[in-house]
Amino acid sequence: MVQIDLLGGVGEIGGNKFLVRDKDSRILLDFGMSLGARGQFFSEPFLAPRDGQGLITLGILPDVHDLYRDGNQPAVDAVILSHAHIDHSMCISLLNRKIPVYCGETTLAILKTLSEMRQKGFENDLEGLEFKTFRTGDHIGFGDIQLEPVHVDHSIPGSYGFLIHTSTGTITYSGDFRAHGTKASLTADFVETAERSQPDLFLCEGTNLVRGDLRTEQEVLEKSDHVIKKTGGLVLASFSSADIDRLRTFHQIARDNDRILVVTMKQAYLLRALSKDKHLETPDVLHDPNLAVYQRTKKVYFHWERDILGETSVKTSKDIREAQDKVILASSSYDMNEVLDIQPGPGGAFINSSSEPFNEEMEMDHERFINWLNHFGLPMYQIHSSGHMMPTELRETIEQVAPKRLVPIHTEQPELYRLFVKDLTKVELGNKGSTIEV
Ligand SMILES: [Zn+2]
Ligand SMILES: [Zn+2]
């Protein structure tokens, strides 16, 4: 009998941790942080977690013997990462160093690069971890378990879903995925492979059940282009640092409108790291005339900041103040002090190209952010295409894969999910900490 412990990622968005046990073989699918649970206790910088034991005591991390750094015998044969988003990967910093971490090559590059830029601490420490990379079509054996990764399209490059072949049947795990993205064919490959394997169980994400908005990357391009064409002043655009598709979209708009896309130092550093992977077709941050890097005002720069500023075309707040109609500035709510220096003139725009606030904490951040926009006189446009399946796509996917059973994951609406697809498969709702059998 095969058992799956739902250690995180049920009844919540992210924090995925699914422990698959087949006789003596064990693998952990994703090791993500439950950001919601963590946020219930901690709010940085004033109250930050001190160590892993604290997170376990508070129930934010599962209490699994020998899974963490102080463990002896490895608790599992491997940790398998679907992609580099922190709600799927962050807890590997705390992992027992005898346990290898498997992920795609792009994921490994992103994890290492982001880790270099983040403040060091027990939640950001890849030192001593043994990474092994896989690609689509590989079959990796862990005793009775065989893992088959297949690429999917998501809002970060290098994302995978998995087929887990066990002694009692096949489990399919979606990771995070979408069917309306620029690389929809990757997801189609995964869905077809899953369909062929006639899975007994599908662990399938349902992030967007109450946030349906079917917009493609092409629509983001067209709508943003329309706004920017009619905007004579400064354009600010906010999008996730690791969303390379979105960066490519704004880069193209910049070129078409005779503007320069000015990215953050963090985005530039990540772009340079990913430029080695030719499949990703990342814009060339070192040479492209429509790309530059924003130099934040600060007294001391980190080594990686000096490194990237030394190699790229650099813009300061003064440069941007003097050429507001020639720039699209990638900036988030955290960059508002810089925008104070830039002093946006009339007729500008702020394009929010990330998800709208969906919890109380984000709501509060959002309200504070509106105060800044009020001060600057910048109207806000919400133009986004989600990294997750839309409800209609989800139904089509489940119908095609035709699993015998399905467990909704990565969703705050498991009951809605059940009712929505109960004619297609048998839906089981698992609680955090519960075990299901295959
Ligand atoms: Zn996620
Ligand atoms: Zn994700």
Side-chain angles (χ1 to χ4, degrees):
M1 190 174 34
V2 172
Q3 293 180 309
I4 306 170
D5 299 329
L6 309 171
L7 302 176
V10 283
E12 60 181 338
I13 292 177
N16 285 24
K17 301 172 208 74
F18 306 107
L19 178 60
V20 181
R21 296 184 278 139
D22 188 354
K23 294 173 206 149
D24 294 332
S25 311
R26 293 153 177 249
I27 60 171
L28 182 62
L29 300 172
D30 278 335
F31 199 11
M33 179 57 77
S34 294
L35 296 169
R38 192 177 178 281
Q40 281 171 8
F41 291 97
F42 297 107
S43 173
E44 269 115 345
F46 303 112
L47 186 56
R50 215 166 36 188
D51 53 32
Q53 191 51 51
L55 293 170
I56 294 168
T57 307
L58 291 167
I60 298 166
L61 287 181
D63 191 0
V64 178
H65 194 60
D66 285 340
L67 183 61
Y68 301 101
R69 283 204 84 153
D70 54 2
N72 295 314
Q73 286 309 307
V76 295
D77 297 304
V79 167
I80 317 292
L81 299 183
S82 60
H83 61 289
H85 279 151
I86 57 173
D87 60 322
H88 296 255
S89 66
M90 181 169 164
C91 300
I92 59 169
S93 289
L94 289 88
L95 187 68
N96 182 339
R97 287 340 195 218
K98 290 178 186 143
I99 300 171
V101 177
Y102 285 71
C103 62
E105 259 169 55
T106 304
T107 293
L108 181 55
I110 296 173
L111 286 174
K112 284 188 168 167
T113 310
L114 292 181
S115 171
E116 233 185 292
M117 293 187 278
R118 287 186 186 131
Q119 204 181 349
K120 291 276 171 286
F122 79 97
E123 289 177 295
N124 175 30
D125 178 8
L126 304 184
E127 198 70 41
L129 282 172
E130 182 194 356
F131 286 100
K132 298 189 175 193
T133 58
F134 53 62
R135 50 180 62 227
T136 297
D138 283 353
H139 283 77
I140 308 157
F142 304 97
D144 292 296
I145 300 172
Q146 214 186 54
L147 179 82
E148 186 183 355
V150 184
H151 48 217
V152 294
D153 188 36
H154 182 42
S155 50
I156 187 168
S159 299
Y160 284 83
F162 301 100
L163 283 81
I164 302 104
H165 306 288
T166 70
S167 58
T168 56
T170 296
I171 301 157
T172 310
Y173 173 44
S174 66
D176 287 351
F177 67 161
R178 63 179 170 192
H180 55 269
T182 52
K183 304 214 164 45
S185 67
L186 303 183
T187 298
D189 289 344
F190 169 73
V191 173
E192 280 162 27
T193 313
E195 179 190 3
R196 275 200 302 276
S197 75
Q198 301 182 327
D200 294 84
L201 185 78
F202 194 2
L203 298 168
C204 187
E205 73 126 309
T207 315
N208 273 339
L209 286 169
V210 288
R211 288 186 274 142
D213 179 6
L214 241 178
R215 234 181 301 193
T216 62
E217 196 62 36
Q218 181 62 26
E219 284 174 272
V220 173
L221 188 139
E222 284 163 14
K223 288 190 169 131
S224 305
D225 184 74
H226 181 82
V227 169
I228 291 168
K229 269 204 170 55
K230 294 194 176 290
T231 296
L234 179 67
V235 176
L236 303 180
S238 173
F239 51 92
S240 155
S241 292
D243 189 345
I244 303 298
D245 288 338
R246 192 59 39 82
L247 193 139
R248 235 186 262 115
T249 295
F250 280 103
H251 178 238
Q252 186 178 331
I253 297 170
R255 268 189 324 212
D256 295 348
N257 289 279
D258 200 19
R259 288 184 183 241
I260 294 173
L261 176 63
V262 182
V263 298
T264 63
M265 294 185 280
K266 186 176 168 187
Q267 283 167 329
Y269 198 69
L270 186 61
L271 270 185
R272 195 185 62 173
L274 293 180
S275 66
K276 290 172 196 126
D277 188 339
K278 296 293 168 234
H279 297 293
L280 294 179
E281 295 166 355
T282 49
D284 182 355
V285 70
L286 303 186
H287 305 103
D288 192 296
N290 290 98
L291 260 184
V293 179
Y294 184 76
Q295 179 171 8
R296 254 172 183 269
T297 318
K298 55 195 283 191
K299 288 202 177 72
V300 184
Y301 291 89
F302 295 115
H303 75 91
W304 65 267
E305 291 176 325
R306 282 197 303 274
D307 190 13
I308 198 71
L309 290 173
E311 281 195 43
T312 51
S313 163
V314 170
K315 301 278 180 214
T316 62
S317 55
K318 181 170 175 290
D319 297 331
I320 293 179
R321 185 164 63 237
E322 288 165 1
Q324 300 195 14
D325 59 339
K326 290 281 169 229
V327 162
I328 299 173
L329 180 64
S331 52
S332 72
S333 53
Y334 304 114
D335 299 311
M336 290 303 116
N337 276 324
E338 299 297 324
V339 183
L340 266 184
D341 293 340
I342 293 170
Q343 302 166 18
F350 178 86
I351 298 177
N352 187 30
S353 199
S354 51
S355 65
E356 289 176 81
F358 58 82
N359 59 36
E360 222 172 305
E361 204 172 331
M362 287 171 84
E363 204 71 63
M364 272 164 61
D365 285 349
H366 189 71
E367 278 174 30
R368 193 178 309 118
F369 182 54
I370 298 292
N371 295 335
W372 284 99
L373 295 183
N374 276 334
H375 174 81
F376 294 131
L378 289 170
M380 173 156 73
Y381 304 84
Q382 175 70 28
I383 309 177
H384 181 51
S385 168
S386 171
H388 302 277
M389 283 281 183
M390 288 302 145
T392 50
E393 298 170 340
L394 209 51
R395 268 189 72 87
E396 284 167 4
T397 300
I398 294 165
E399 192 164 18
Q400 187 180 343
V401 173
K404 291 197 186 82
R405 295 152 66 203
L406 181 143
V407 174
I409 57 166
H410 209 280
T411 180
E412 289 173 341
Q413 283 80 29
E415 178 60 15
L416 189 164
Y417 197 142
R418 187 182 72 78
L419 296 173
F420 182 59
V421 303
K422 68 175 186 177
D423 57 327
L424 304 176
T425 182
K426 184 168 180 287
V427 181
E428 288 173 35
L429 306 185
N431 295 319
K432 196 164 170 175
S434 67
T435 299
I436 45 172
E437 290 175 355
V438 182

